[in-house]
């Protein structure tokens, strides 16, 4: 089993830690001057008793909100804002402290990352609204807020900085959420395409494996039915051929199912290839359609995908000759060139899959060649009959 990769730091540390730690630090940093600690600055005007009650209440509400951030994000942010609001009032601060507001920014970014846009915008609005709410409470509802700032009791510049940090935190979180959704869509699309490609591959394999054998079986069974009374021995030979071809088809289907079920660690099952071409020609010839195989160039071992595709193209072409051409012979030519394999199947019959039928055979051959970046043609011959030709890239170094 492969080792599980280490999760990133942002995923290992829960959001409660990212928000609670800076908030608690900001609170301790703000009240340190009231305890006359060595080597620490002192403040001659400590909070009033009511102020200490506000600080204590906020120190309970804010960590509670941090703890609920993963399960109930908006109520958690409300508790965090209420705690920050209470502590800031207890300290008689001009505005919310930068460290305290950093914890709020982290919460806003977390909500923007994990929640939908409506809830994340609500969280951003709440984070920004706590700033004027604090100033209105400090200056009193009867006095204009702008006048309070003109009198030096506030700092518009620091307020704008805090708003900007909240907006930036929301933008970062929203961008992370969009990137995550985009990656999930790409993964789903890739999985769907892989499933579709695999289904097409299996469909091609099933068609190529079964169609040829069924054509041979139908041809032999028809011949046996015609000579049952006049030539009993010939009929028996035809039925033996039907039995043999049926067993071969079942064996091929069994090999395909075993290959599909096999785990990655198991050795692959040997697939068909051009090495089976002579057996294919012999079987088809025995069924009544003579297959002449010609080879040009120096035969060599091909990559498995090219070898299998070349054999399936020849097999399907011969099957079409047996089923549709109405002729007693066809020719298969393999040309091993320096950087490609050219194959051709021709007959002198009446043509096939040109005007009627679904044409799955030609479509499957065309898909195979396209996947290998080759060239494929299938059309009636001017002198009569049908011609299937394909060129598959197969450099001599690819086999090695």
């Amino acid at each position: 089993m492969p080792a599980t990769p280490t999760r990133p730091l942002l995923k290992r540390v829960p959001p409660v830690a990212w928000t609670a730690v800076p908030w608690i630090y900001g609170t301790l940093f703000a009240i340190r001057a009231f305890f006359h600690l060595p080597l620490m600055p002192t403040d001659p005007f400590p909070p009033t008793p009511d102020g200490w009650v506000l600080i204590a209440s906020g120190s309970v509400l804010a960590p509670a909100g941090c703890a609920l951030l993963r399960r109930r994000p908006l109520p958690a942010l409300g508790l965090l804002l209420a705690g920050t609001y209470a502590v800031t009032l207890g300290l008689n601060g001009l505005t919310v402290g930068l460290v305290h507001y950093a914890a709020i920014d982290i919460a806003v970014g977390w909500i923007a990352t994990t929640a939908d846009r409506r809830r994340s915008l609500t969280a951003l609005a709440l984070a920004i609204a706590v700033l004027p709410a604090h100033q209105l409470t400090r200056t009193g509802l009867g006095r204009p807020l702008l006048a309070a700032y003109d009198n030096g009791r506030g700092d518009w510049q620091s307020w704008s900085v805090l708003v900007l940090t909240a907006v930036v935190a929301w933008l970062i979180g929203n961008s992370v959420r969009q990137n995550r959704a985009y990656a999930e869509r790409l993964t789903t699309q890739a999985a769907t395409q892989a499933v579709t490609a695999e289904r097409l591959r299996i469909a091609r394999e099933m068609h190529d494996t079964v169609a040829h054998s069924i054509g041979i079986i139908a041809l032999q069974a028809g011949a046996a039915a015609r000579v049952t009374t006049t030539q009993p021995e010939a009929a028996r030979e035809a039925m033996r051929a039907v039995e043999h071809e049926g067993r071969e088809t079942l064996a091929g289907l069994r090999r395909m199912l075993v290959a599909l079920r096999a785990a990655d660690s198991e050795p692959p099952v040997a697939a068909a290839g051009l090495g089976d071409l002579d057996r294919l020609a012999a079987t088809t010839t025995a069924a009544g359609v003579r297959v002449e195989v010609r080879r040009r160039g120096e035969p060599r071992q091909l990559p498995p995908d090219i070898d299998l595709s070349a054999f399936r193209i020849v097999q399907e072409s011969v099957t079409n000759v047996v089923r549709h051409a109405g002729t007693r012979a066809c020719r298969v030519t393999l040309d091993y060139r320096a950087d490609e394999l050219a194959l051709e199947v021709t007959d002198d019959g009446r043509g096939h899959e040109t005007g009627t039928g679904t044409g799955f055979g030609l479509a499957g051959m065309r898909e195979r060649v396209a996947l290998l970046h080759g060239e494929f043609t299938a059309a009636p011959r001017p002198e009569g009959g049908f011609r299937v030709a394909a060129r598959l890239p197969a450099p001599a170094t690819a086999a090695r």
Side-chain angles (χ1 to χ4, degrees), residues 98-311:
L98 183 60
V99 180
H100 279 153
Y101 208 78
I104 297 175
D105 291 339
I106 294 173
V108 170
W110 168 266
I111 295 174
T113 301
T114 57
D116 56 81
R117 179 167 295 183
R118 181 180 62 83
R119 287 196 292 175
S120 66
L121 287 174
T122 302
L124 176 63
L126 290 175
I128 295 176
V130 74
L131 299 172
H134 170 260
Q135 291 300 332
L136 285 172
T137 304
R138 289 188 68 256
T139 58
L141 295 177
R143 298 178 58 187
L145 181 60
L146 182 58
Y149 272 84
D150 288 341
N151 292 333
R153 297 186 179 181
D155 186 357
W156 279 105
Q157 185 175 3
S158 62
W159 190 2
S160 63
V161 170
L162 295 180
V163 172
L164 180 61
T165 59
V167 173
V168 171
W170 183 88
L171 290 174
I172 293 175
N174 186 65
S175 177
V176 171
R177 181 183 61 82
Q178 290 178 337
N179 289 338
R180 184 180 299 169
Y182 178 70
E184 291 177 355
R185 288 196 298 268
L186 286 182
T187 302
T188 302
Q189 182 180 359
T192 302
Q193 292 176 347
V195 170
T196 302
E198 184 66 11
R199 289 176 60 186
L200 291 175
R201 186 187 70 82
I202 295 174
R204 286 194 300 267
E205 287 297 314
M206 293 290 292
H207 178 274
D208 295 343
T209 300
V210 176
H212 174 76
S213 299
I214 295 300
I216 299 298
I217 290 174
L219 191 64
Q220 293 282 20
R226 288 191 296 269
V227 299
T228 300
T229 57
T230 58
Q231 302 180 36
E233 185 62 29
R236 282 194 294 272
E237 287 296 328
M239 295 310 297
R240 291 192 189 98
V242 169
E243 178 186 9
H244 177 268
E245 193 63 28
R247 293 183 183 277
E248 287 291 326
T249 303
L250 289 176
L253 290 176
R254 188 178 296 111
R255 287 193 297 269
M256 182 182 299
L257 293 176
V258 170
L260 291 174
R261 289 172 174 266
D264 294 340
S265 58
E266 296 180 1
V269 180
L274 292 178
D276 300 316
L277 186 57
D278 292 333
R279 180 182 61 81
L280 172 68
T283 303
T284 309
T285 300
V289 178
R290 184 172 60 87
V291 178
E292 179 185 356
V293 180
R294 302 174 181 175
R295 293 180 174 85
R296 298 174 181 171
E298 183 180 354
R300 63 179 183 273
Q301 184 178 1
L302 299 174
D305 53 344
I306 298 176
D307 192 36
L308 173 62
S309 296
F311 176 76

